[in-house]
Amino acid sequence: QVSDGVVKIGVLTDLSGTYSDLAGKGAVLATKMAIDDFVAAEKPGFKVELVSADHQNKGDIAANKAREWFERDKVDVASELVTTSVALAVQKIAKDKNKIVLMSGPGSTAITNESCNDVSVHWTYDTYALANGTAKAVTQAGGKKWFFLTADYAFGHALEKDASDVVKANGGEVMGAVRHPFPGNDFSSYLLKAQSSGAQVIGLANAGGDTINSIKQAAEFGITPKQSLAGLLVFITDVHSLGLKNTQNMYLTEGFYWDLNNETRAWSKRFFDQHKRMPTMVQAGQYSSTMHYLKAVKATGTDDTAKVMTQMKKTPINDFFAKNGKIRDDGRMVHDMYLLQVKKPAESKTPWDYYHVKATIPAAEAFQPLSASRCALIKK
Amino acid sequence: MNKDIILQTRGLTKEFLGFKAVSDVNLEVERGSIHALIGPNGAGKTTVFNLLTKVHAASSGQIQFKGQDITRESQVQVARRGMIRSFQISATFAHLTALENVRVGLQRKRTDSFNFWSSQKRLDALNGRAMELLEAVDLAQFADIVTVEMPYGRKRALEIATTLALDPELMLLDEPTQGMGHEDVGRVVELIQKISANRTILMVEHNLSVVETLCDRITVLQRGAVLAEGDYATVSNDPRVLEAYVGVDA
Amino acid sequence: MEIFGIPSQAFFGQLLLGLINGSFYAVLSLGLAIIFGLLNIINFAHGAQYMLGAFGAWLGLNYLGINYWLALVLSPLLVGALAVVIERSMLKRLYQLDHLYGLLLTFGLALMAEGLFKNFFGVSGESYEAPELLQGGMQLGFMYLPIYRGWVVVAALTVCLVAWYVIERTSLGATLRAATQRPDLVQALGINVPVLVTATYAAGAALAAFAGVLAAPIMQVNPVMGSNLIIVVFAVVVIGGMGSILGSIVTGLGLGVIEGLTKVFYPEASAVVIFLIMVLVLLVKPAGLFGKQA
Amino acid sequence: MTTPTHSHSSRQTVLLFAGLILVGLIAPFLVYPTLLMKLLCFALFACAFNLMLGFSGLLSFGHAAFFGGSAYITGYLCRDLGATPEIGLLAGTLFGGLLGAVFGLVAIRRAGIYFAMITLGLAQIVYFLALQMGFTGGEDGMQGIPRGQLFGLIDLSDNLAMYYFVLAVFLLGFALIHRTIHSPFGQILKAIRDNEARATSLGYDVARFKLIAFVLSAALTGLAGSTKSLVFQLASLGDVHWHTSGQVVLMTLLGGLGTLLGPVVGAMTIIGLENQLADKVGSWVTVIMGGMFVVCVLAFRRGIVGEIKAMLQGKGR
Amino acid sequence: MSSAFNPNGEMLRVTGLHAFYGESHILHGIDLHVNRGELVTLLGRNGSGRSTTLKAMLGLVGRRSGSVMFNGTEINQTAPHRIARLGLGYCPEERGIFAGLSTEENLLLPPVVASGGMTLEEIYELFPNLKERRNSPGTRLSGGEQQMLAMARILRTGAKVLLLDEITEGLAPVIVKKLGEVIRLLKSRGYTIVLVEQNFRFAAPLADRHYVLEHGHVVMTVPKEELAARTGELHQLLGV
Ligand SMILES: Nc1ncnc2c1ncn2[C@@H]1O[C@H](COP(=O)(O)OP(=O)(O)OP(=O)(O)O)[C@@H](O)[C@H]1O
Ligand SMILES: Nc1ncnc2c1ncn2[C@@H]1O[C@H](COP(=O)(O)OP(=O)(O)OP(=O)(O)O)[C@@H](O)[C@H]1O
Ligand SMILES: [Mg+2]
Ligand SMILES: [Mg+2]
């Protein structure tokens, strides 16, 4: 039985900070689209409500809000949660309160390893998948010598480590790394160091504004044509704001691109009409996870956490976002990822036409294998 | 001579970036006297006070207080030895009541000033003495008035009461009558007379009639140096003083 | 040849980069120092004014087709005009009060400006191209120097020199210096000090905006670009000695270089080295390196 | 001899505390307890900060270091070393005080803007350490700090129990601040704030008084931070960021500088607004906060409590 | 600057002037007037309010009330820089030499407000010391030189009404003599002067009229014709 006859979905996202472009209002919109589509198509016997809040990328604000939602406002699921610190905090609270978390925005692999639990689903991507996708492809394509520009905090370190492992596993070599304070604004010193290291590829193990400025300044110092950049965490909004001139030829990995096939184009067009920007993978993933959850509630006829989780895990995900996606026991939703290369300005035909799809990384390869999992739920 | 000298300076000099504000001042203040320091504006009177109370360090020279060399001591140490000053610009604690102002003075000698855990009710024990002091300066009716709200002349009186609370052996008063009306001046003069009973007072004063009524001895400074010294009659007839300070030939 | 274990080539490269960043610090801290010197106000809005300068250039280009060179003049003028409004309507009332209030007011203004721009432009920032003339780079032997960066150093140093010259060597500057010392008396001598004060605030803000336009092609034009920088610039001004013009220029450049070298030897600490230096300097010289003891 | 002011003020004190306790006791039945706990933590933080700015006249722009630093210490003890909450809080408070002593020794002889800048600089260094040292979890923050069992008896994971515990901590801290302000020490502190030169000339070692006040303020700030880390089971970089220092200035200013209740009111207003606004106006929060600063400085320099007081007094006279 | 109306009439008239510094009430209703080309002195003991009278006329005190007419215009609400630009030159008691400026910069600081001011050459001729030291920082000058500088800088502006506060204070007799000559020269050129002095001997032969102040009141007015007769009275008031 659905309690009170209402399923309440909370979107806890960054509405004002660094990640508000790649998640933010667009993620709320995607959730709303999912709910509307679900209600229209499935005519459920319960009501679906949406609440949203700005966590300002602060763990304590997020934790506070999530508690309030779970304890007071009868919210059944907290979703999106861009920024790892926010995700980790909310994951813990959800477990305490026995509620579901659907994470589309955050990237850290800690979510499905050290911090894993049985109420969380990590939907769209993680740093392992990004690093793995990009680093592997670039190394295999001949970029053997790497140098890392790493944001000096846990997230950056993890990204660097994941990518280094992949580089080495594929016969590459890491020439060095420099750790820059976070956030920074001038990266020229580090880039110069990277330049003189003799590496072919500069791996950007940072995010957001740091990545953007690194890319921009690499172009400025004439580094990019000779050495290539590999963005380990780059979103389409970043490419959009940098422009193709600065980003051309860069490799990156995403879980979604609007221009993959008719289905993605159709959905993205609907999204674009309302948001005036193409969806990021986070926003697309947000739609997908919400829809999957709602379908599970309908299927089980209850909003009971354990039952819904079981249902979600046993049902494969098939929509415009994922083909045969599957939620593993550690909470990781595995699906295909895409290796992309940024087009040259001349190759871009229409607005937001930014990527060449170089390869599809099959779900089985894209994510950290369960054998390497540090999640306590995984019995080895 | 066996005068009882409470304060003595030898060769006291203060330079500000090459400018000698006080130069080679030898000052002797006799215990129990009222001693005045006068001189034109900028003669260095306030600076002498600042040197004595260690607001500034002397460039050279010595200061002896009660026979001890205090040249290298700190403001706090000097105050604790019993030399307390008032300021040229009124210096009260503006947001405390008159009573509390005086208690700040009384509290100094107690050991509990660092007690942040005990109630200030302990301080009520001081109220009796504080009221006495307020009465002595004719401020009893202002006891519960916050100082900012008091008239200027009363504040000067309050400052004196606070200074008195420490029962200083040597009081330095910097222009105690400055900015006061006729009646206030009279009151302060009386007050100083009253409190001078068993202590020494060194004061800076421009009002010569005040100096005349009160002071036993007068030192005239000009451009940082001592120009003349003596009792009022001597000094006020000294042609150099008339020239430099009063500005009229005799 | 090696210097401290790194090839001398790279070393010179890093020095030059430090100097480039230092010239931003110099222009920004110069503006702050001028404002503090005359108005006794700690202008927390300086970072926001820098950001406004950059956005001015970007908006001008994208909506009005105003090119870089024009923006370099117009954007500071516009920000200066805004500063006039701020000074006339708000700051003016605070001169009698503690520094604290000026700081808090400008802090509030900075928050508002930042918040507004976040609302309209998001935070990932906008890209601004360097003008044709300054694109590309030069091989200096020890490094490849983007022409634009070279221009930044030249432009920033020129502005600093001009500002220094105006303040230290002209009659306007003499009036300014006199007014810092005794505004009432200067006014009694027939100089319109209130207007001078307004103009000074506007000039300081315009300097910040100028730095913003200079920065636009290098960094992403971004609503938070100023708030990330402002704290460091404060430290620079404090180290140089509040209100000292020369102090802020020299310290700005010097700290840019020190920070640059830290990035080479101990990159993790480069964000904090300036604060360490600040604490040490203030312990030894309480009024800063070039400040006069109060 | 008791002057009228005193009996008056002690009656006020009793009323004040009775009122606070009463409101505190019934509040969780009207308002969501976790929000209340956050309020209390920040109210304590602001009160402790006010002890510095409002009663000693020194603007510290580095109080976040004590707040966040202590939160990390408590979190580390309780989560990684299995300490009980009371030990965690005690250690956090001590740590805050210690850090305060370090800051104080460096900064206390400077005044005004230099004091603000030095404290800010030192706090930036603490921020840097928090980012770098492994045990803090860096950017991810320190998650999952257990609330634990108070004295081994009371299970704090129950929200109401936790709430009353936080209320007790707050009241304790508040009472200590109240007492400090109305102690012989506080009297001298006020005198120093009014006229430092005069206090020195009377023979008070001003720097020592300020240092003690600073350490007290830092320790109580630490207590607030530690408590917060238990409430949210989280310590994060946001707690040590200079924005937090700025926020507490705003709370104090908005509520009323140098008034006892001002910081409490200020904290409630800001936290409450933040809570309300976050959902409704989204990204306009920053603009509104900025606007509040501006309005406060231009129009309500005395803050909410200060203005009310002035109004009442104006009427009374 | 010459106004067609009232060619030899009043340049300055002060009526009921009150002034306050913070909470202390310094001037209690000062009345005085100065005609064109006249020199009047304000005498009195230290602290009697003479300097404050000048400052209040210029709007430099915290709070003031009463009327100040300058050449037929009420200036009590006028901003200080406007007053100066009407042609009022002020030489403050503490000289007000600016430390950050060189001697010449100090000299050139006040804007020219009317034609007919002295040129730099004339000034240097009058005060050769200043010429010699024109590039050294203003506050490195000796006290006397600073005093000359403070005087000299208002002579350049073309202001024809001068308010001079204790210009002989702390100066060697020879410089005092020199200043006496300068004042005489100015008078002969038709300047109107208000002179605050302690040095009665200096002021007496120059003045057309003396005002004696005490506690912020004008307690005596002595035209120069009556000076000889009333010297005793005057001395008593001045506390000699
Ligand atoms: N801190 C300082 N730095 C530089 N010069 C100073 C300083 N303090 C005082 N002076 C100078 O020293 C001289 C003496 O000043 P002081 O205040 O002692 O005079 P005073 O005799 O008290 O005068 P008044 O009667 O006006 O109070 C003045 O010329 C003054 O400008
Ligand atoms: N800035 C000020 N703040 C407070 N009181 C002041 C201030 N300036 C002057 N006074 C007071 O105002 C009164 C009159 O001062 P004023 O300077 O006019 O005296 P004066 O007659 O020029 O004497 P002298 O110049 O010899 O000191 C004095 O009691 C003086 O102490
Ligand atoms: Mg003096
Ligand atoms: Mg005078």
Side-chain angles (χ1 to χ4, degrees):
Chain A
Q1 200 57 37
V2 172
S3 50
D4 307 334
V6 178
V7 169
K8 216 167 182 180
I9 296 174
V11 182
L12 193 47
T13 184
D14 175 8
L15 289 171
S16 55
T18 326
Y19 304 117
S20 52
D21 286 350
L22 67 92
K25 290 197 186 89
V28 179
L29 172 64
T31 318
K32 195 167 164 300
M33 285 169 69
I35 294 171
D36 292 348
D37 290 356
F38 172 77
V39 172
E42 309 269 336
K43 316 246 171 340
F46 50 87
K47 271 172 58 188
V48 186
E49 282 178 11
L50 169 70
V51 286
S52 65
D54 183 10
H55 60 50
Q56 301 171 35
N57 295 319
K58 290 182 187 147
D60 48 350
I61 291 183
N64 193 9
K65 198 73 207 177
R67 262 177 204 284
E68 199 178 304
W69 276 353
F70 293 147
E71 286 173 0
R72 190 185 64 181
D73 301 339
K74 306 210 175 86
V75 167
D76 296 288
V77 52
S79 66
E80 205 293 290
L81 305 171
V82 68
T83 308
T84 303
S85 57
V86 162
L88 297 178
V90 174
Q91 233 188 322
K92 293 241 157 51
I93 291 161
K95 176 66 191 161
D96 267 9
K97 306 288 163 198
N98 194 29
K99 304 281 179 169
I100 293 174
V101 245
L102 301 173
M103 289 165 281
S104 186
S108 171
T109 45
I111 292 168
T112 50
N113 282 290
E114 292 81 3
S115 301
C116 77
N117 61 34
D118 58 0
V119 296
S120 314
V121 184
H122 196 188
W123 203 267
T124 309
Y125 72 100
D126 60 28
T127 54
Y128 179 94
L130 300 189
N132 181 44
T134 309
K136 191 160 156 188
V138 173
T139 317
Q140 283 174 353
K144 298 281 180 207
K145 293 180 178 173
W146 282 64
F147 187 95
F148 286 100
L149 195 58
T150 308
D152 191 23
Y153 62 97
F155 168 77
H157 297 175
L159 209 50
E160 180 192 322
K161 188 183 169 297
D162 289 346
S164 306
D165 290 348
V166 175
V167 169
K168 286 178 202 148
N170 287 281
E173 182 188 354
V174 176
M175 314 288 292
V178 61
R179 301 200 162 165
H180 68 78
F182 158 87
N185 55 47
D186 185 64
F187 297 87
S188 45
S189 293
Y190 315 121
L191 288 165
L192 225 60
K193 241 181 152 174
Q195 187 180 34
S196 55
S197 71
Q200 297 162 295
V201 182
I202 301 174
L204 301 177
N206 50 20
D210 287 353
T211 309
I212 291 180
N213 276 325
S214 311
I215 294 171
K216 192 167 174 183
Q217 289 163 8
E220 191 194 349
F221 278 84
I223 290 172
T224 5
K226 293 179 210 130
Q227 289 159 296
S228 58
L229 291 182
L232 299 179
L233 181 57
V234 178
F235 294 88
I236 195 167
T237 37
D238 298 333
V239 174
H240 180 70
S241 95
L242 274 162
L244 295 181
K245 186 154 170 284
N246 285 321
T247 47
Q248 55 186 310
N249 300 331
M250 186 170 74
Y251 281 98
L252 52 96
T253 303
E254 292 227 46
F256 173 82
Y257 175 46
W258 67 271
D259 201 12
L260 288 169
N261 53 48
N262 286 336
E263 235 181 316
T264 58
R265 280 187 284 272
W267 185 81
S268 300
K269 186 176 178 313
R270 284 175 55 211
F271 182 88
F272 184 88
D273 287 343
Q274 296 181 64
H275 193 56
K276 304 298 168 229
R277 289 175 155 235
M278 280 297 175
T280 60
M281 63 169 154
V282 170
Q283 291 153 348
Q286 179 67 14
Y287 178 99
S288 170
S289 64
T290 308
M291 187 60 96
H292 189 65
Y293 167 79
L294 287 172
K295 283 182 175 161
V297 173
K298 174 136 195 282
T300 51
T302 174
D303 55 3
D304 177 81
T305 297
K307 288 184 187 142
V308 175
M309 280 304 292
T310 315
Q311 173 69 19
M312 278 168 66
K313 282 185 177 162
K314 83 177 187 222
T315 325
I317 296 124
N318 272 305
D319 56 13
F320 74 92
F321 177 81
K323 291 281 166 280
N324 271 318
K326 181 181 178 317
I327 302 172
R328 297 194 308 211
D329 284 343
D330 61 353
R332 178 69 256 165
M333 199 283 265
V334 291
H335 55 98
D336 296 349
M337 299 287 288
Y338 306 94
L339 179 70
L340 308 166
Q341 188 180 23
V342 180
K343 289 183 172 177
K344 295 191 171 55
E347 295 165 343
S348 172
K349 299 286 177 313
T350 56
W352 295 88
D353 174 17
Y354 291 156
Y355 297 148
H356 294 295
V357 180
K358 295 306 248 191
T360 299
I361 309 162
E365 281 174 39
F367 293 92
Q368 180 194 45
L370 278 179
S371 57
S373 177
R374 301 180 296 279
C375 172
L377 296 173
I378 305 298
K379 293 170 217 62
K380 288 186 194 148
Chain B
M1 274 197 283
N2 54 1
K3 281 189 298 181
D4 185 4
I5 302 297
I6 186 167
L7 177 75
Q8 185 173 37
T9 70
R10 257 186 259 121
L12 194 61
T13 301
K14 176 69 189 175
E15 276 187 43
F16 292 112
L17 305 166
F19 170 74
K20 267 194 188 163
V22 172
S23 80
D24 196 22
V25 167
N26 298 312
L27 193 66
E28 287 189 349
V29 179
E30 202 176 326
R31 190 184 286 277
S33 68
I34 302 183
H35 193 127
L37 206 54
I38 66 171
N41 295 108
K45 306 175 296 283
T46 302
T47 309
V48 167
F49 269 29
N50 286 341
L51 292 175
L52 293 176
T53 54
K54 303 294 156 196
V55 174
H56 297 314
S59 308
S60 64
Q62 274 115 48
I63 307 169
Q64 282 197 351
F65 180 55
K66 294 192 284 182
Q68 310 264 348
D69 188 326
I70 58 161
T71 317
R72 302 267 156 260
E73 291 190 348
S74 72
Q75 281 190 62
V76 172
Q77 283 170 312
V78 169
R80 289 178 173 249
R81 282 186 183 277
M83 183 193 321
I84 310 286
R85 74 179 294 185
S86 74
F87 286 80
Q88 182 165 0
I89 317 281
S90 148
T92 50
F93 301 116
H95 297 96
L96 303 186
T97 64
L99 186 84
E100 286 169 333
N101 260 275
V102 178
R103 283 200 325 206
V104 170
L106 290 171
Q107 225 183 308
R108 226 292 309 291
K109 298 215 163 153
R110 291 167 62 103
T111 51
D112 61 0
S113 288
F114 287 111
N115 279 13
F116 56 80
W117 55 87
S118 49
S119 164
Q120 66 181 0
K121 292 231 177 60
R122 304 171 70 116
L123 298 178
D124 289 348
L126 302 174
N127 286 355
R129 175 74 187 127
M131 281 308 286
E132 274 173 40
L133 285 163
L134 285 178
E135 270 154 28
V137 299
D138 203 11
L139 284 180
Q141 77 271 31
F142 287 94
D144 285 325
I145 306 287
V146 179
T147 314
V148 258
E149 294 165 8
M150 285 165 57
Y152 186 75
R154 301 297 188 148
K155 280 192 209 165
R156 303 293 314 211
L158 176 60
E159 206 184 325
I160 292 174
T162 308
T163 310
L164 278 177
L166 287 158
D167 198 17
E169 284 177 72
L170 174 61
M171 255 172 105
L172 309 182
L173 305 176
D174 197 352
E175 305 209 22
T177 67
Q178 189 192 36
M180 290 188 179
H182 263 310
E183 336 73 59
D184 285 340
V185 171
R187 199 191 348 253
V188 169
V189 168
E190 264 174 50
L191 175 60
I192 293 176
Q193 226 146 20
K194 196 154 75 182
I195 62 175
S196 67
N198 39 29
R199 70 187 90 242
T200 316
I201 294 176
L202 176 63
M203 62 193 281
V204 169
E205 182 56 68
H206 276 311
N207 189 329
L208 287 181
S209 65
V210 171
V211 174
E212 182 173 11
T213 345
L214 283 175
C215 300
D216 306 312
R217 199 169 174 80
I218 297 160
T219 303
V220 186
L221 286 183
Q222 189 200 14
R223 311 187 75 175
V226 176
L227 180 69
E229 204 171 52
D231 59 14
Y232 186 77
T234 323
V235 167
S236 65
N237 286 315
D238 187 322
R240 290 171 308 167
V241 175
L242 289 176
E243 161 89 41
Y245 182 56
V246 186
V248 189
D249 280 339
Chain C
M1 203 183 83
E2 293 202 345
I3 300 174
F4 304 128
I6 50 171
S8 60
Q9 304 241 321
F11 185 80
F12 287 126
Q14 297 292 358
L15 268 184
L16 186 60
L17 287 178
L19 198 66
I20 294 168
N21 281 325
S23 40
F24 279 108
Y25 291 156
V27 177
L28 285 170
S29 58
L30 172 69
L32 271 182
I34 291 176
I35 292 173
F36 182 79
L38 191 58
L39 284 73
N40 242 335
I41 292 246
I42 316 249
N43 186 28
F44 224 109
H46 216 66
Q49 284 155 346
Y50 164 80
M51 177 272 284
L52 287 179
F55 261 103
W58 182 83
L59 289 170
L61 183 67
N62 286 285
Y63 292 94
L64 304 171
I66 293 171
N67 72 22
Y68 174 83
W69 302 104
L70 217 53
L72 208 50
V73 177
L74 284 184
S75 196
L77 279 181
L78 228 69
V79 174
L82 185 66
V84 169
V85 175
I86 292 172
E87 201 277 338
R88 290 278 85 191
S89 61
M90 298 180 224
L91 284 178
K92 186 173 89 171
R93 310 183 193 188
L94 304 179
Y95 297 139
Q96 318 305 329
L97 308 171
D98 195 280
H99 290 333
L100 172 64
Y101 290 101
L103 186 144
L104 294 176
L105 179 91
T106 47
F107 182 59
L109 291 173
L111 282 183
M112 288 176 77
E114 205 181 291
L116 278 174
F117 273 77
K118 268 191 199 168
N119 273 320
F120 292 116
F121 300 100
V123 282
S124 34
E126 312 286 351
S127 232
Y128 188 87
E129 287 290 304
E132 284 298 323
L133 188 63
L134 299 176
Q135 288 184 2
M138 283 180 293
Q139 195 58 51
L140 294 184
F142 57 89
M143 74 177 288
Y144 174 86
L145 178 72
I147 291 176
Y148 190 80
R149 298 256 172 171
W151 153 250
V152 165
V153 177
V154 172
L157 287 185
T158 310
V159 164
C160 284
L161 275 176
V162 168
W164 174 82
Y165 182 84
V166 168
I167 291 167
E168 300 290 336
R169 290 284 179 271
T170 65
S171 67
L172 172 64
T175 311
L176 273 174
R177 274 176 288 143
T180 354
Q181 205 181 329
R182 287 282 309 271
D184 55 334
L185 180 55
V186 170
Q187 194 169 7
L189 291 175
I191 288 158
N192 193 342
V193 174
V195 164
L196 200 63
V197 166
T198 309
T200 305
Y201 185 69
L207 272 177
F210 178 79
V213 182
L214 277 187
I218 297 184
M219 288 151 212
Q220 202 70 351
V221 177
N222 178 327
V224 295
M225 64 194 283
S227 66
N228 293 338
L229 203 58
I230 187 72
I231 293 283
V232 176
V233 175
F234 271 135
V236 171
V237 175
V238 170
I239 296 171
M242 308 254 6
S244 160
I245 304 294
L246 191 64
S248 57
I249 298 175
V250 173
T251 315
L253 292 173
L255 285 178
V257 171
I258 292 180
E259 193 192 50
L261 293 181
T262 318
K263 282 180 178 168
V264 182
F265 294 109
Y266 184 22
E268 290 87 344
S270 61
V272 84
V273 63
I274 288 184
F275 296 101
L276 267 175
I277 293 178
M278 176 174 90
V279 170
L280 292 178
V281 165
L282 290 186
L283 279 178
V284 181
K285 294 203 69 173
L289 290 177
F290 294 80
K292 289 179 196 76
Q293 198 81 41
Chain D
M1 186 176 91
T2 321
T3 58
T5 341
H6 284 123
S7 63
H8 184 54
S9 76
S10 66
R11 190 169 354 110
Q12 268 186 341
T13 310
V14 172
L15 277 176
L16 174 73
F17 273 89
L20 275 177
I21 293 174
L22 199 72
V23 172
L25 285 177
I26 53 174
F29 301 101
L30 305 172
V31 183
Y32 173 61
T34 312
L35 179 63
L36 286 176
M37 288 189 264
K38 181 172 184 185
L39 265 172
L40 288 173
C41 292
F42 274 93
L44 180 57
F45 182 15
C47 286
F49 175 81
N50 190 36
L51 187 61
M52 230 28 237
L53 180 58
F55 295 99
S56 319
L58 287 173
L59 170 64
S60 154
F61 230 95
H63 258 53
F66 314 133
F67 189 71
S70 297
Y72 279 125
I73 294 297
T74 304
Y76 180 68
L77 285 172
C78 293
R79 189 186 68 176
D80 298 355
L81 303 182
T84 55
E86 62 278 5
I87 299 285
L89 288 192
L90 207 63
T93 311
L94 276 178
F95 176 80
L98 246 124
L99 199 60
V102 174
F103 274 40
L105 284 174
V106 177
I108 210 78
R109 274 168 212 284
R110 309 274 171 266
I113 205 64
Y114 286 102
F115 183 83
M117 291 310 298
I118 297 188
T119 43
L120 173 63
L122 290 169
Q124 287 296 105
I125 296 170
V126 171
Y127 179 86
F128 171 73
L129 292 176
L131 185 65
Q132 289 291 327
M133 285 160 82
F135 82 94
T136 60
E139 184 64 13
D140 291 346
M142 189 184 271
Q143 317 276 352
I145 300 165
R147 285 179 176 179
Q149 307 263 324
L150 186 63
F151 306 120
L153 293 172
I154 306 162
D155 183 9
L156 292 181
S157 59
D158 174 49
N159 251 351
L160 217 54
M162 186 72 202
Y163 169 78
Y164 284 116
F165 176 54
V166 175
L167 180 66
V169 168
F170 167 78
L171 285 173
L172 211 77
F174 187 77
L176 182 64
I177 290 169
H178 180 271
R179 173 44 69 80
T180 303
I181 290 165
H182 298 99
S183 71
F185 174 79
Q187 200 66 16
I188 304 300
L189 216 54
K190 269 185 257 179
I192 291 174
R193 178 193 57 182
D194 271 0
N195 195 332
E196 188 171 332
R198 178 62 171 156
T200 311
S201 82
L202 290 175
Y204 289 104
D205 186 348
V206 168
R208 229 160 91 202
F209 280 89
K210 285 188 188 166
L211 182 62
I212 293 177
F214 194 74
V215 171
L216 265 176
S217 166
L220 286 168
T221 301
L223 176 61
S226 297
T227 313
K228 203 208 89 157
S229 75
L230 288 184
V231 171
F232 291 110
Q233 308 181 268
L234 173 84
S236 69
L237 279 180
D239 300 339
V240 266
H241 195 273
W242 67 267
H243 275 166
T244 304
S245 297
Q247 203 179 29
V248 82
V249 181
L250 177 58
M251 288 174 185
T252 312
L253 190 76
L254 180 70
L257 208 61
T259 60
L260 196 63
L261 221 44
V264 180
V265 174
M268 297 210 174
T269 316
I270 302 265
I271 302 285
L273 268 180
E274 229 175 43
N275 187 266
Q276 288 302 305
L277 292 181
D279 305 348
K280 304 203 176 73
V281 299
S283 44
W284 288 93
V285 175
T286 339
V287 184
I288 293 171
M289 292 283 162
M292 267 164 39
F293 259 103
V294 172
V295 172
C296 267
V297 171
L298 289 178
F300 300 104
R301 229 161 277 143
R302 285 183 286 217
I304 298 173
V305 171
E307 294 289 343
I308 293 176
K309 251 183 166 172
M311 238 161 63
L312 291 180
Q313 273 167 10
K315 261 191 215 141
R317 217 152 271 165
Chain E
M1 198 64 236
S2 62
S3 81
F5 120 107
N6 203 1
N8 291 310
E10 262 171 27
M11 274 318 279
L12 270 172
R13 171 170 288 279
V14 172
T15 349
L17 188 62
H18 287 256
F20 305 80
Y21 284 119
E23 294 144 60
S24 37
H25 188 172
I26 305 291
L27 299 185
H28 305 262
I30 299 281
D31 298 307
L32 54 86
H33 71 277
V34 191
N35 293 330
R36 182 180 300 276
E38 256 190 338
L39 189 152
V40 308
T41 66
L42 305 184
L43 305 174
R45 301 184 190 184
N46 283 131
S48 55
R50 298 159 302 153
S51 304
T52 307
T53 306
L54 297 192
K55 288 191 196 162
M57 285 159 70
L58 289 165
L60 293 179
V61 290
R63 198 149 56 86
R64 58 172 176 168
S65 63
S67 148
V68 181
M69 301 290 282
F70 177 76
N71 202 13
T73 328
E74 175 60 66
I75 56 169
N76 102 41
Q77 295 298 326
T78 312
H81 67 273
R82 293 249 161 71
I83 298 182
R85 287 182 179 258
L86 290 174
L88 214 56
Y90 173 53
C91 176
E93 155 172 51
E94 71 296 343
R95 296 169 188 145
I97 302 304
F98 299 103
L101 275 57
S102 73
T103 301
E104 191 156 300
E105 281 175 334
N106 264 291
L107 206 48
L108 296 176
L109 181 73
V112 170
V113 297
S115 58
M118 293 186 186
T119 62
L120 211 52
E121 285 71 46
E122 279 181 278
I123 286 173
Y124 281 148
E125 205 174 305
L126 210 54
F127 303 105
N129 299 36
L130 295 184
K131 183 170 190 181
E132 197 182 306
R133 310 217 50 196
R134 65 185 183 212
N135 291 323
S136 72
T139 44
R140 287 279 167 77
L141 299 182
S142 79
E145 288 163 340
Q146 289 191 26
Q147 189 63 66
M148 292 178 210
L149 180 52
M151 268 292 286
R153 72 176 169 202
I154 50 171
L155 298 180
R156 225 194 90 251
T157 63
K160 290 289 164 25
V161 180
L162 307 183
L163 309 182
L164 309 179
D165 199 348
E166 309 233 8
I167 52 171
T168 62
E169 161 84 11
L171 298 188
V174 48
I175 300 172
V176 174
K177 214 166 133 235
K178 172 107 187 197
L179 283 174
E181 283 162 23
V182 172
I183 301 261
R184 237 180 284 274
L185 175 75
L186 294 177
K187 234 187 129 185
S188 74
R189 290 193 184 182
Y191 281 66
T192 307
I193 297 172
V194 181
L195 192 64
V196 167
E197 260 310 325
Q198 295 253 12
N199 189 340
F200 182 62
R201 201 171 55 138
F202 173 79
L206 296 169
D208 297 305
R209 191 163 54 256
H210 303 276
Y211 290 98
V212 182
L213 271 65
E214 197 171 275
H215 295 301
H217 299 273
V218 175
V219 291
M220 188 159 83
T221 311
V222 188
K224 73 174 164 201
E225 302 77 33
E226 300 173 19
L227 189 59
R230 298 174 69 178
T231 307
E233 210 182 324
L234 205 57
H235 277 188
Q236 202 178 356
L237 263 180
L238 295 177
V240 183

